[in-house]
Amino acid sequence: MSQRPSLAPHVLVVEDEPAQREMLAYNLEAEGFRVSQAADGDEGLASVRDDPPDVLVLDWMLPGVSGIEICRRIRARPETRNLPVIMLSARSEEVDRVRGLEIGADDYVTKPYAIAELLARVRAQLRRVRPSTVGQVLEFGDIMLDAETHRVTRGGQSLKLGPTEFRLLAALMEKPGRVWSREQLLDRVWGRDIYVDTRTVDVHVGRLRKALMAEGGDDPLRTVRGAGYSLG
Ligand code: CA
């Protein structure tokens, strides 16, 4: 298990052809992504439910539940409504492309595709949903976080953050205003396979608070009683 399992964006690949699936997984992993694989529609839906990805790469033609149907179900559930979906298809007619986008896919790639192009499309979707993972600078009020240089400043002053506090702040800054439960923060910041007591979250939020206010300024973190934490 790597030290930073959960800062890596999580991509789920649903593709029934093993060679295609493994080639994709290999290349996505080489990009530093965490990759899950599913070989058919049912497995894909179960994976989305049990370990929600940041981006879904979805083959159109699948045995059992088709890619179109998966996309439709994902859009129907509030928890996954905004999950970016990139559809893969051997069909190249414009009408299919339109249909793919109509049923709610965010992007559409025709087979055979160049892997570099697909990776670029995945990154484009991630830029939208998890900007800190693709080297963007996040801003919240006077706080700035640069994921590439691992620098955090407030009002232009450099702040000293431990690695866990940094990941915690990155998660919070990706979605200002969202209330995160302790369990959600554990999954995102520590990783789901690591056993950590939820009280650990409180300890690190405390440290993050202290670090953020070290050079002055108000407390930007909100404790929501019985629910968790949010930024702003
Ligand atoms: Ca297929």
Side-chain angles (χ1 to χ4, degrees):
M1 178 58 65
S2 86
Q3 272 305 98
R4 301 193 274 148
S6 50
L7 193 63
H10 178 206
V11 181
L12 169 63
V13 176
V14 184
E15 161 70 81
D16 57 313
E17 287 150 67
Q20 287 267 342
R21 190 175 64 242
E22 273 149 33
M23 182 274 295
L24 261 175
Y26 174 85
N27 281 285
L28 288 163
E29 270 163 12
E31 281 287 294
F33 300 142
R34 177 162 79 87
V35 182
S36 302
Q37 302 183 34
D40 62 46
D42 290 313
E43 210 184 302
L45 282 167
S47 189
V48 167
R49 194 181 51 238
D50 298 341
D51 187 10
D54 296 306
V55 172
L56 172 62
V57 177
L58 178 63
D59 189 25
W60 181 304
M61 299 293 277
L62 290 168
V65 190
S66 74
I68 291 265
E69 182 54 28
I70 291 177
C71 195
R72 197 170 280 140
R73 291 192 199 173
I74 281 170
R75 289 292 174 253
R77 286 180 61 214
E79 312 86 76
T80 51
R81 183 160 294 150
N82 298 314
L83 169 65
V85 176
I86 301 173
M87 291 278 288
L88 301 178
S89 170
R91 302 156 175 237
S92 60
E93 289 86 11
E94 191 61 22
V95 60
D96 287 323
R97 182 189 163 79
V98 169
R99 199 169 149 226
L101 296 175
E102 258 174 16
I103 55 125
D106 297 277
D107 204 351
Y108 184 95
V109 176
T110 305
K111 293 177 180 178
Y113 51 84
I115 189 72
E117 190 199 341
L118 186 75
L119 292 174
R121 307 269 188 117
V122 170
R123 277 193 298 269
Q125 294 301 325
L126 281 169
R127 206 165 286 131
R128 206 159 58 77
V129 290
R130 293 202 52 195
S132 76
T133 62
V134 282
Q136 304 234 138
V137 175
L138 298 181
E139 269 188 74
F140 178 80
D142 57 352
I143 302 167
M144 291 180 77
L145 178 145
D146 187 330
E148 227 150 63
T149 60
H150 263 240
R151 244 171 76 91
V152 176
T153 59
R154 184 165 194 192
Q157 302 255 45
S158 240
L159 299 181
K160 271 207 168 67
L161 261 61
T164 303
E165 286 71 42
F166 182 87
R167 294 203 303 280
L168 198 50
L169 181 62
L172 291 164
M173 284 183 78
E174 278 172 11
K175 293 194 168 90
R178 167 182 169 171
V179 179
W180 295 76
S181 70
R182 288 167 177 81
E183 288 75 17
Q184 286 168 333
L185 285 171
L186 276 178
D187 279 355
R188 174 53 74 88
V189 177
W190 281 262
R192 26 179 80 223
D193 303 325
I194 291 179
Y195 179 76
V196 186
D197 195 277
T198 50
R199 274 168 301 183
T200 306
V201 176
D202 301 333
V203 171
H204 286 276
V205 168
R207 284 187 197 157
L208 175 59
R209 252 194 186 119
K210 209 170 151 205
L212 288 174
M213 295 194 289
E215 302 291 333
D218 296 338
D219 183 359
L221 297 175
R222 201 158 57 92
T223 305
V224 185
R225 212 167 287 278
Y229 297 101
S230 81
L231 182 68

